[in-house]
Amino acid sequence: MRLTRYFLPVLRETPSEAQIVSHRYMLRAGMIKQASAGIYSWLPLGYKVLRRIEQIVHEEQVRAGHIPMLMPTLQSADLWRESGRYDDYGQEMLRVSDRHGRDMLYGPTNEELITDIFRSHVSSYKDLPLTLYHIQWKFRDEIRPRFGVMRGREFLMKDGYNFDLTKDDALHAYNRHLVSYLRTYERMGLQAIPMRADGGPIGGDYTHEFLVLADTGESEVFYDAEITDLKFGDRAIDYDSVEACQAVLEEFTSRYARTDETHDEAVFAEVPEARRRVARGIEVGQIFYFGTKYSEAMGATVQGPDGAQVPVHMGSHGIGVSRLLGAIIEANHDENGIIWPEGVTPFHCGIVNLKQGDDDADAACESLYQALVGKGLEPLYDDRNERAGGKFATMDLIGLPWRITVGPRGLKNGVVELTSRRTGESEELPPEAAVAKVAAIYEGR
Ligand code: ATP
Ligand code: MG
């Protein structure tokens, strides 16, 4: 993409309504524009990152054997009356009526809709296990939408639902989700720690929230520092193996890590003092096994092996796709702007032409651009007629991990400059070598 042909409405001023750094940078980098409280338009740069995050979520869900689909945003109130949640949900639910006076709502989540689909089409245990998911916009009329996309009213969520014959099978689905989430967040350059959360009115130990540590997080968290040394990495995992998934769950949840809702001072005191941490975190996902709550209320049963009808065991598992942009920026920035992890960057590499209009510099930039495209990469070429300082400031703000700087002086010596946004370190090297190096960094991503 050439910047002169792109739509990147960068703001010079820091918008006064933004209280936290990710919100400020998303507005300043022209990624989002507020449409009304807690509701945003995704401008091209923000949309690009959102799509990359979605893509990673899809890939990891499919890898775990979960099946993508798409349910609507508007739902009929009738299903929610069946589960009993229509009245319980309160003012967070946006209710509308259609021209016939039918009660509808903008879905805050999808347990009812998916359970209805399940009961309409599945009648035998032989069709289990089954895990369906979608990535769809949700609406929750939050009392205090704030921090930009972090706590929006309209937000994008991946929500998945497992249907299993027995509790044990459903717990395997739970563990599988835990593993797939660890992989998902790591691919985005994030450490998200599974922490024991509150099961709410349903109770039970089977819920974990995934938290990204950040001072601006809304949750207070308590954990054993050892947990931050754990990495899933690129180890292979057989998602069908009950033992393998269970082992990962044990590895990642055996140390103390809880949100304030489940925090227990007495148990926490057993962690050696030097390792006890109290901090803040951003909830970027949650997994939940809730048994037969919805299947019983809504008659989602299957014929079991012995012929009897039994309600299925279910769980639901969410990832805050749009919130993740904020969380990633909170965890990856400096005073000049965003620093995208390679896994989610909107463009792989920036090209800055120090002397636009100079025949040699223009030609060198063009050929760099073509060479990067030839490697399957997407560069962003700043071809504006602007001072170098302004170009660097824009590149730093929008946070592309790599920048190639081209100027007449370097070209005389046959070199360009390759700079890492994260370390600020630069090296001079021939243009072909710079392309090869950037291509190698992204190989396999
Ligand atoms: P919170 O406690 O932050 O209100 P929640 O526990 O109500 O979230 P879930 O129902 O668990 O949310 O939804 C799954 C994920 O969706 C959350 O882990 C979070 O990442 C994301 N999410 C929830 N509410 C919002 C929101 N208002 N704006 C953006 N993302 C959200
Ligand atoms: Mg939650």
Side-chain angles (χ1 to χ4, degrees):
M1 180 57 67
R2 289 165 170 77
L3 198 45
T4 54
R5 298 186 195 173
Y6 200 45
F7 181 63
L8 186 72
V10 164
L11 306 179
R12 247 178 251 287
E13 306 296 321
T14 297
S16 58
E17 76 267 28
Q19 299 163 16
I20 62 170
V21 70
S22 57
H23 189 195
R24 276 200 293 278
Y25 283 156
M26 286 185 79
L27 291 170
R28 281 195 52 211
M31 297 176 67
I32 50 169
K33 178 174 186 328
Q34 183 175 306
S36 58
I39 303 178
Y40 291 87
S41 296
W42 293 81
L43 305 183
L45 192 74
Y47 181 63
K48 231 164 175 311
V49 180
L50 188 68
R51 282 280 172 257
R52 297 212 58 190
I53 291 175
E54 241 185 292
Q55 183 60 30
I56 292 174
V57 172
H58 272 302
E59 286 173 14
E60 294 305 327
Q61 287 308 299
V62 169
R63 195 194 303 276
H66 307 157
I67 307 171
M69 61 178 295
L70 187 60
M71 290 175 271
T73 52
L74 287 176
Q75 306 181 18
S76 157
D78 291 341
L79 284 176
W80 288 71
R81 291 199 176 99
E82 271 190 61
S83 72
R85 286 208 294 180
Y86 189 63
D87 294 324
D88 292 353
Y89 223 92
Q91 293 202 304
E92 264 195 24
M93 180 183 270
L94 182 68
R95 297 154 208 259
V96 289
S97 56
D98 69 10
R99 67 197 296 166
H100 305 292
R102 289 189 202 106
D103 293 332
M104 311 281 293
L105 56 100
Y106 195 130
T109 177
N110 282 63
E111 281 82 2
E112 284 76 1
L113 211 52
I114 196 82
T115 306
D116 180 52
I117 291 169
F118 180 87
R119 71 179 172 187
S120 307
H121 298 290
V122 181
S123 55
S124 163
Y125 76 96
K126 290 180 188 146
D127 296 323
L128 305 181
L130 180 65
T131 297
L132 300 166
Y133 79 92
H134 73 162
I135 298 179
Q136 177 62 290
W137 294 93
K138 304 290 185 289
F139 197 95
R140 294 182 187 174
D141 206 351
E142 301 271 357
I143 194 160
R144 237 183 331 140
R146 57 183 187 156
F147 300 162
V149 300
M150 275 291 215
R151 183 163 297 284
R153 293 198 296 165
E154 187 186 54
F155 59 96
L156 192 59
M157 194 206 283
K158 169 260 160 184
D159 42 324
Y161 306 87
N162 68 283
F163 301 90
D164 288 279
L165 181 62
T166 65
K167 179 175 177 182
D168 280 350
D169 292 348
L171 290 181
H172 173 55
Y174 183 89
N175 298 349
R176 216 170 48 225
H177 278 89
L178 181 124
V179 179
S180 70
Y181 280 24
L182 291 172
R183 283 188 59 107
T184 301
Y185 298 122
E186 279 191 19
R187 279 187 63 186
M188 296 173 190
L190 278 182
Q191 178 168 46
I193 304 170
M195 298 202 180
R196 189 141 137 203
D198 185 11
I202 310 161
D205 289 340
Y206 304 110
T207 180
H208 283 90
E209 287 179 357
F210 288 76
L211 285 115
V212 173
L213 298 173
D215 294 339
T216 48
E218 291 185 289
S219 314
E220 189 172 28
V221 296
F222 304 81
Y223 63 95
D224 177 342
E226 263 189 9
I227 205 164
T228 55
D229 297 334
L230 296 176
K231 296 263 175 311
F232 188 79
D234 53 10
R235 57 180 112 163
I237 178 104
D238 174 3
Y239 279 109
D240 288 333
S241 162
V242 171
E243 297 73 32
C245 293
Q246 176 72 28
V248 175
L249 173 106
E250 277 161 21
E251 178 184 349
F252 280 83
T253 62
S254 58
R255 291 173 187 77
Y256 193 93
R258 298 194 190 181
T259 62
D260 53 1
E261 290 164 346
T262 55
H263 177 57
D264 182 333
E265 272 301 334
V267 185
F268 193 43
E270 288 164 21
V271 177
E273 190 172 359
R275 299 205 319 245
R276 267 180 246 153
R277 298 282 185 282
V278 180
R280 303 202 68 83
I282 302 166
E283 181 193 331
V284 292
Q286 183 164 15
I287 54 178
F288 211 133
Y289 161 72
F290 48 69
T292 56
K293 174 182 155 100
Y294 295 93
S295 52
E296 280 190 46
M298 297 180 65
T301 60
V302 292
Q303 186 169 48
D306 58 3
Q309 288 289 322
V310 287
V312 288
H313 287 256
M314 293 174 60
S316 66
H317 315 277
I319 292 181
V321 174
S322 51
R323 178 180 285 183
L324 272 166
L325 275 94
I328 292 169
I329 296 172
E330 288 297 324
N332 297 277
H333 68 269
D334 63 13
E335 64 284 0
N336 297 322
I338 302 164
I339 306 173
W340 291 116
E342 271 94 0
V344 297
T345 184
F347 295 95
H348 298 102
C349 178
I351 303 173
V352 167
N353 187 342
L354 291 177
K355 199 156 187 211
Q356 209 71 45
D358 175 272
D359 285 348
D360 290 342
D362 290 1
C365 287
E366 271 312 316
S367 90
L368 267 174
Y369 187 93
Q370 295 306 340
L372 288 162
V373 170
K375 297 277 189 194
L377 299 173
E378 251 188 301
L380 180 67
Y381 171 22
D382 190 345
D383 58 344
R384 295 172 303 164
N385 237 326
E386 256 228 40
R387 287 179 308 107
K391 292 189 177 187
F392 289 146
T394 300
M395 282 294 172
D396 283 351
L397 175 64
I398 68 171
L400 308 186
W402 298 94
R403 183 186 81 206
I404 300 177
T405 308
V406 181
R409 201 149 41 96
L411 287 176
K412 277 209 188 79
N413 301 319
V415 295
V416 295
E417 192 182 58
L418 178 63
T419 307
S420 156
R421 173 69 181 87
R422 193 169 287 277
T423 65
E425 280 163 24
S426 292
E427 64 176 315
E428 295 197 323
L429 65 188
E432 312 75 53
V435 170
K437 187 154 181 188
V438 174
I441 288 163
Y442 286 103
E443 191 151 323
R445 280 182 192 275

